[in-house]
CSV table of all heavy atoms in Angstrom, one decimal:
chain,number,residue,atom,x,y,z
A,370,ALA,N,84.9,120.7,116.4
A,370,ALA,CA,85.5,119.4,116.5
A,370,ALA,C,86.8,119.3,115.6
A,370,ALA,O,87.8,118.8,116.1
A,370,ALA,CB,84.5,118.3,116.0
A,371,ALA,N,86.7,119.9,114.4
A,371,ALA,CA,87.9,119.9,113.5
A,371,ALA,C,89.0,120.7,114.1
A,371,ALA,O,90.2,120.2,114.2
A,371,ALA,CB,87.5,120.5,112.2
A,372,LEU,N,88.7,121.9,114.7
A,372,LEU,CA,89.8,122.7,115.3
A,372,LEU,C,90.5,122.0,116.4
A,372,LEU,O,91.7,121.9,116.5
A,372,LEU,CB,89.2,124.0,115.8
A,372,LEU,CG,89.1,125.0,114.7
A,372,LEU,CD1,88.3,126.2,115.2
A,372,LEU,CD2,90.4,125.5,114.3
A,373,PHE,N,89.7,121.4,117.4
A,373,PHE,CA,90.3,120.7,118.5
A,373,PHE,C,91.1,119.5,118.0
A,373,PHE,O,92.2,119.3,118.5
A,373,PHE,CB,89.2,120.2,119.4
A,373,PHE,CG,88.8,121.2,120.5
A,373,PHE,CD1,87.7,122.0,120.3
A,373,PHE,CD2,89.5,121.2,121.6
A,373,PHE,CE1,87.4,122.9,121.3
A,373,PHE,CE2,89.2,122.2,122.6
A,373,PHE,CZ,88.1,123.0,122.4
A,374,ARG,N,90.6,118.8,117.0
A,374,ARG,CA,91.3,117.7,116.5
A,374,ARG,C,92.6,118.1,115.8
A,374,ARG,O,93.6,117.4,115.9
A,374,ARG,CB,90.4,116.8,115.7
A,374,ARG,CG,89.4,116.0,116.5
A,374,ARG,CD,90.0,115.1,117.6
A,374,ARG,NE,90.8,114.1,116.9
A,374,ARG,CZ,92.0,113.8,117.2
A,374,ARG,NH1,92.7,114.4,118.1
A,374,ARG,NH2,92.7,112.8,116.6
A,375,TYR,N,92.6,119.2,115.0
A,375,TYR,CA,93.8,119.7,114.4
A,375,TYR,C,94.8,120.0,115.4
A,375,TYR,O,96.0,119.5,115.3
A,375,TYR,CB,93.5,121.0,113.6
A,375,TYR,CG,92.9,120.8,112.2
A,375,TYR,CD1,91.8,121.5,111.8
A,375,TYR,CD2,93.5,119.9,111.3
A,375,TYR,CE1,91.2,121.4,110.5
A,375,TYR,CE2,93.0,119.8,110.0
A,375,TYR,CZ,91.8,120.5,109.7
A,375,TYR,OH,91.3,120.4,108.4
A,376,ILE,N,94.4,120.7,116.4
A,376,ILE,CA,95.4,121.2,117.4
A,376,ILE,C,96.0,120.0,118.2
A,376,ILE,O,97.2,119.9,118.4
A,376,ILE,CB,94.8,122.1,118.4
A,376,ILE,CG1,94.4,123.4,117.7
A,376,ILE,CG2,95.7,122.5,119.6
A,376,ILE,CD1,93.3,124.2,118.4
A,377,PHE,N,95.1,119.0,118.5
A,377,PHE,CA,95.6,117.9,119.3
A,377,PHE,C,96.4,116.9,118.4
A,377,PHE,O,97.3,116.3,118.9
A,377,PHE,CB,94.5,117.2,120.1
A,377,PHE,CG,94.1,118.0,121.3
A,377,PHE,CD1,93.1,119.0,121.3
A,377,PHE,CD2,94.8,117.9,122.5
A,377,PHE,CE1,92.8,119.8,122.4
A,377,PHE,CE2,94.5,118.7,123.6
A,377,PHE,CZ,93.5,119.6,123.5
A,378,ALA,N,95.9,116.7,117.2
A,378,ALA,CA,96.6,115.8,116.3
A,378,ALA,C,98.0,116.3,116.0
A,378,ALA,O,98.9,115.5,115.8
A,378,ALA,CB,95.8,115.5,115.1
A,379,PHE,N,98.2,117.6,116.0
A,379,PHE,CA,99.4,118.2,115.6
A,379,PHE,C,100.5,117.9,116.6
A,379,PHE,O,101.7,117.9,116.2
A,379,PHE,CB,99.2,119.7,115.5
A,379,PHE,CG,100.1,120.4,114.5
A,379,PHE,CD1,99.9,120.2,113.1
A,379,PHE,CD2,101.3,121.0,114.9
A,379,PHE,CE1,100.7,120.8,112.2
A,379,PHE,CE2,102.1,121.6,113.9
A,379,PHE,CZ,101.8,121.5,112.6
A,380,ARG,N,100.2,117.6,117.8
A,380,ARG,CA,101.2,117.3,118.9
A,380,ARG,C,101.4,115.8,119.0
A,380,ARG,O,102.1,115.4,119.9
A,380,ARG,CB,100.8,117.9,120.2
A,380,ARG,CG,99.3,117.7,120.6
A,380,ARG,CD,99.0,118.3,121.9
A,380,ARG,NE,98.7,119.7,121.8
A,380,ARG,CZ,98.1,120.4,122.8
A,380,ARG,NH1,97.6,119.7,123.8
A,380,ARG,NH2,97.8,121.7,122.7
A,381,LEU,N,100.9,115.0,118.1
A,381,LEU,CA,101.0,113.6,118.0
A,381,LEU,C,102.4,113.1,118.4
A,381,LEU,O,103.4,113.5,117.8
A,381,LEU,CB,100.8,113.2,116.6
A,381,LEU,CG,100.9,111.7,116.2
A,381,LEU,CD1,99.7,110.9,116.8
A,381,LEU,CD2,101.0,111.5,114.7
A,382,PHE,N,102.5,112.3,119.5
A,382,PHE,CA,103.8,111.8,119.9
A,382,PHE,C,103.8,110.3,120.2
A,382,PHE,O,104.4,109.5,119.5
A,382,PHE,CB,104.4,112.5,121.1
A,382,PHE,CG,105.6,112.0,121.6
A,382,PHE,CD1,106.9,112.3,121.1
A,382,PHE,CD2,105.6,111.1,122.7
A,382,PHE,CE1,108.1,111.8,121.5
A,382,PHE,CE2,106.8,110.5,123.2
A,382,PHE,CZ,108.0,110.9,122.6
A,383,SER,N,103.0,109.9,121.2
A,383,SER,CA,103.0,108.5,121.7
A,383,SER,C,102.8,107.5,120.7
A,383,SER,O,103.5,106.5,120.6
A,383,SER,CB,102.0,108.4,122.8
A,383,SER,OG,102.1,109.5,123.7
A,384,GLU,N,101.8,107.7,119.8
A,384,GLU,CA,101.4,106.6,118.9
A,384,GLU,C,102.6,106.4,118.0
A,384,GLU,O,103.0,105.2,117.7
A,384,GLU,CB,100.2,107.1,118.0
A,384,GLU,CG,98.9,107.1,118.7
A,384,GLU,CD,98.5,108.5,119.1
A,384,GLU,OE1,99.3,109.2,119.6
A,384,GLU,OE2,97.3,108.8,118.9
A,385,VAL,N,103.3,107.4,117.5
A,385,VAL,CA,104.4,107.3,116.6
A,385,VAL,C,105.6,106.6,117.4
A,385,VAL,O,106.2,105.7,116.9
A,385,VAL,CB,104.9,108.6,116.0
A,385,VAL,CG1,106.0,108.4,115.1
A,385,VAL,CG2,103.7,109.3,115.3
A,386,TRP,N,105.9,107.2,118.5
A,386,TRP,CA,107.0,106.7,119.3
A,386,TRP,C,106.9,105.2,119.6
A,386,TRP,O,107.8,104.5,119.5
A,386,TRP,CB,107.1,107.5,120.6
A,386,TRP,CG,108.3,107.2,121.4
A,386,TRP,CD1,108.4,106.4,122.5
A,386,TRP,CD2,109.7,107.5,121.1
A,386,TRP,NE1,109.7,106.2,122.9
A,386,TRP,CE2,110.5,106.9,122.1
A,386,TRP,CE3,110.3,108.3,120.1
A,386,TRP,CZ2,111.9,107.1,122.1
A,386,TRP,CZ3,111.6,108.4,120.1
A,386,TRP,CH2,112.4,107.8,121.1
A,387,LEU,N,105.7,104.8,120.0
A,387,LEU,CA,105.5,103.4,120.4
A,387,LEU,C,105.3,102.5,119.2
A,387,LEU,O,105.7,101.3,119.3
A,387,LEU,CB,104.2,103.3,121.3
A,387,LEU,CG,104.4,104.0,122.6
A,387,LEU,CD1,103.0,104.3,123.2
A,387,LEU,CD2,105.3,103.2,123.6
A,388,MET,N,104.8,103.0,118.1
A,388,MET,CA,104.6,102.1,116.9
A,388,MET,C,105.9,101.9,116.1
A,388,MET,O,106.3,100.8,115.9
A,388,MET,CB,103.5,102.7,116.1
A,388,MET,CG,103.1,101.9,114.8
A,388,MET,SD,102.4,100.3,115.2
A,388,MET,CE,100.7,100.8,115.4
A,389,THR,N,106.5,103.0,115.7
A,389,THR,CA,107.7,102.9,114.9
A,389,THR,C,109.0,103.5,115.5
A,389,THR,O,110.0,103.3,114.9
A,389,THR,CB,107.5,103.6,113.5
A,389,THR,OG1,107.4,105.0,113.8
A,389,THR,CG2,106.2,103.1,112.8
A,390,GLY,N,108.8,104.2,116.6
A,390,GLY,CA,110.0,104.9,117.1
A,390,GLY,C,110.5,106.0,116.2
A,390,GLY,O,111.6,106.5,116.4
A,391,GLY,N,109.8,106.3,115.1
A,391,GLY,CA,110.2,107.3,114.2
A,391,GLY,C,111.0,106.6,113.0
A,391,GLY,O,111.2,107.3,112.0
Side-chain angles (χ1 to χ4, degrees):
Chain A
L372 277 170
F373 272 94
R374 290 298 298 127
Y375 278 129
I376 295 162
F377 284 92
F379 210 76
R380 44 178 83 160
L381 179 75
F382 175 82
S383 314
E384 288 102 317
V385 181
W386 185 256
L387 295 161
M388 180 67 84
T389 66

